[in-house]
Amino acid sequence: MSSTGHAALPVPALARRSPALKGRVRVPGDKSVSHRSLIFGALTIGETRISGLLEGEDVLNTAKACAALGADVERVGEGEWRVHGLGVGGLRAPEGVLDFGNAGTGSRLMMGMVAGNPITATFDGDASLRRRPMRRILDPLEQMGVEVVEAAEGGRLPLTLKGPQELVPITYESPVASAQIKSAVLLAGLGAPGETTVIEKEASRDHTERMLTHFGAEVTVEPYGEHGRKVTLKGRPELKPAPIRVPADPSSAAFPLVAALIVPGSEVVIEGVMTNPLRTGLLITLKEMGADISFENERVEGGESVADIRVRASALTGVSVPAERAPSMIDEYPVLAVAAAFASGETRMNGLSELRVKESDRLAAVADGLAQAGAAYRIEGDDLIVTGAGGAAGGGTVATHMDHRIAMSFLVMGLATDKPLKVDDISFIATSFPTFLPQMRGLGALIDSEAVAG
Ligand SMILES: O=C(O)C1=C[C@@H](OP(=O)(O)O)[C@@H](O)[C@H](O)C1
Ligand SMILES: C=C(OP(=O)(O)O)C(=O)O
């Protein structure tokens, strides 16, 4: 095992043409909400109780980092956690390096969290995370007075930050629509006197804003331009502990959902999935393509809208996905590309530049995967165009490049290709969806692997 928990050697898997998928499944808790619930718990004096926490490697690394900064973080049952925090500005200097493994969210949000404390902390991660851009976080934090003591070339990990005695509140217009940038600045803003404002031209997921309000901070959100938002936080609040129930992750639900659409005769219900409108771009797109998807038992749980999603195998037609929809489905493009190969006609996914800086260069990884599966595609600038043929031959081996979503997307594809599809390494699936294999097999998916069942 590596320091971050997944197997050191690659674990290949083979997906085979499967019979109709049937049944009900509840995928694990939302990754974004899980990271944030631990972080807010650590910034709150008193006990924060969390249920339904995603116990994937990414989130477990955030839990360890919160503990290293002095919070008391305890697992009391399956998905049940308690955090006793230290209050805004109360974090302690960690003794060792904070290792975030594969997680952009954990590392970037916690850079913001640390900024408001006069401490020095070193951030690191695996080879994938070390390649990802961190300047986008360091730029606003430096404006607020944080010192970047040391960083690898291009402001990458490993890097060391030193929080100032007195942080400066700023108004920051984010150059990219990124909830990680917005959240890092707002988390830093907790420790600054006065108001910190983040402006984004396209609205990104709003879990940080919701959680700030849930924990008693003063936050105002105003529309900005056609699709954007202006978020303002009043600094130095006293956060009050509040229980958190983590809804099922729509980004994980996307895998059984697309599998059910492309495996003939399937009918699957995915329970308790978060339907926050800033996360539903994939569902909107698939419905436009003709997918038979319906919401049942719609309700509000822990401040987020959720529903049971019923999905039946469907004949899909290609569509054009507008660039402004990207933030609401940013992690879902790899699996949308798979659905698009099973559609008839062209699906054009516009404005995917951010996919190049995820756990892998997802634009390149998806293109290579489609080629391995015999599906037709082309890339024009930052757009991916898949020419659907109602199916694909399969037969190749997909390189996952340390990227969980590439691994899961192409295992889903192999459930409906003519020949089996191999994926070279599924070990990173444990970062976000540790129960993927047993849950997919429970629906009838034929996936062979020597991996220990999760
Ligand atoms: O804030 C978050 O929880 C996330 C934001 C997105 O990243 P960006 O902010 O880089 O778009 C997304 O890709 C990631 O999986 C989770
Ligand atoms: C991009 C992702 O996560 P992160 O940025 O946290 O690594 C993801 O889960 O697809």
Side-chain angles (χ1 to χ4, degrees):
M1 293 294 217
S2 77
S3 61
T4 51
H6 52 258
L9 287 176
V11 181
L14 188 80
R16 290 182 285 125
R17 209 178 166 90
S18 299
L21 305 180
K22 298 277 178 190
R24 301 177 73 90
V25 67
R26 184 177 169 106
V27 301
D30 185 68
K31 180 156 70 71
S32 295
V33 173
S34 295
H35 281 299
R36 287 163 174 79
S37 58
L38 292 165
I39 289 172
F40 278 97
L43 292 173
T44 303
I45 291 171
E47 181 173 289
T48 297
R49 284 169 179 254
I50 308 166
S51 62
L53 188 88
L54 164 64
E55 293 176 331
E57 288 173 7
D58 277 13
V59 174
L60 297 178
N61 282 324
T62 288
K64 277 188 215 150
C66 288
L69 291 164
D72 187 1
V73 184
E74 191 193 358
R75 182 180 193 265
V76 289
E78 202 186 317
E80 304 285 324
W81 289 64
R82 279 185 207 154
V83 184
H84 284 261
L86 301 142
V88 168
L91 301 181
R92 298 192 202 119
E95 271 173 24
V97 170
L98 304 176
D99 183 353
F100 291 92
N102 195 244
T105 310
S107 57
R108 292 185 174 130
L109 267 56
M110 288 194 66
M111 286 181 203
M113 177 199 194
V114 160
N117 300 267
I119 59 173
T120 301
T122 300
F123 296 74
D124 204 359
D126 67 13
S128 157
L129 193 58
R130 282 182 173 199
R131 283 192 289 267
R132 295 177 70 183
M134 296 298 166
R135 259 282 139 220
R136 54 179 58 195
I137 305 296
L138 302 182
D139 285 343
L141 294 187
E142 280 183 325
Q143 286 181 28
M144 297 178 87
V146 173
E147 186 189 339
V148 180
V149 179
E150 222 175 346
E153 210 190 321
R156 289 181 160 73
L157 298 185
L159 63 81
T160 301
L161 299 184
K162 188 171 174 209
Q165 288 298 333
E166 179 83 359
L167 210 59
V168 183
I170 57 168
T171 293
Y172 191 67
E173 185 161 341
S174 185
V176 249
S178 156
Q180 294 178 5
I181 299 176
K182 172 175 64 181
S183 302
V185 176
L186 291 173
L187 282 163
L190 280 174
E195 290 186 342
T196 293
T197 299
V198 181
I199 294 169
E200 45 180 10
K201 288 190 210 84
E202 307 281 344
S204 65
R205 64 192 70 192
D206 60 358
H207 309 302
T208 298
E209 297 91 302
R210 284 170 185 259
M211 222 174 269
L212 280 166
T213 307
H214 188 59
F215 280 82
E218 261 182 64
V219 184
T220 56
V221 182
E222 298 161 64
Y224 185 85
E226 214 183 324
H227 308 288
R229 289 195 177 172
K230 181 178 174 192
V231 183
T232 301
L233 165 72
K234 204 163 165 200
R236 299 200 172 152
E238 191 186 313
L239 299 180
K240 304 256 182 333
I244 299 198
R245 191 162 163 197
V246 184
D249 193 329
S251 299
S252 297
F255 299 107
L257 193 133
V258 169
L261 284 175
I262 64 173
V263 175
S266 298
E267 179 166 355
V268 165
V269 176
I270 311 160
E271 295 172 347
V273 181
M274 177 161 62
T275 53
N276 178 321
L278 292 166
R279 299 287 299 278
T280 49
L282 177 73
L283 295 175
I284 291 168
T285 305
L286 289 171
K287 282 192 179 184
E288 287 174 358
M289 295 171 81
D292 183 348
I293 295 172
S294 51
F295 285 7
E296 296 176 356
N297 198 10
E298 291 181 58
R299 55 209 187 266
V300 174
E301 272 180 18
E304 290 282 5
S305 54
V306 300
D308 301 337
I309 301 180
R310 183 178 295 274
V311 50
R312 296 186 181 90
S314 307
L316 303 174
T317 310
V319 293
S320 178
V321 188
E324 62 269 17
R325 196 178 291 165
S328 68
M329 54 181 294
I330 193 66
D331 295 339
E332 281 69 80
Y333 284 102
V335 80
L336 175 63
V338 167
F342 286 82
S344 60
E346 262 187 21
T347 295
R348 185 176 190 108
M349 295 162 242
N350 296 287
L352 303 189
S353 58
E354 275 296 294
L355 291 200
R356 297 187 197 276
V357 291
K358 296 294 181 185
E359 284 83 328
S360 67
D361 174 345
R362 284 188 179 157
L363 207 43
V366 168
D368 289 351
L370 291 172
Q372 287 296 318
Y377 71 90
R378 59 185 198 281
I379 293 176
E380 290 176 5
D382 292 331
D383 303 340
L384 172 65
I385 301 108
V386 177
T387 307
T397 299
V398 177
T400 54
H401 301 285
M402 305 178 81
D403 191 329
H404 53 137
R405 300 214 191 270
I406 299 300
M408 290 186 277
S409 297
F410 286 98
L411 287 178
V412 164
M413 188 168 195
L415 304 179
T417 47
D418 300 338
K419 282 178 275 171
L421 194 57
K422 190 173 173 185
V423 157
D424 72 345
D425 185 11
I426 61 166
S427 57
F428 287 88
I429 292 175
T431 59
S432 70
F433 195 167
T435 51
F436 174 81
L437 271 192
Q439 290 196 299
M440 291 301 293
R441 285 174 178 155
L443 296 172
L446 301 177
I447 304 176
D448 308 327
S449 168
E450 281 162 24
V452 182

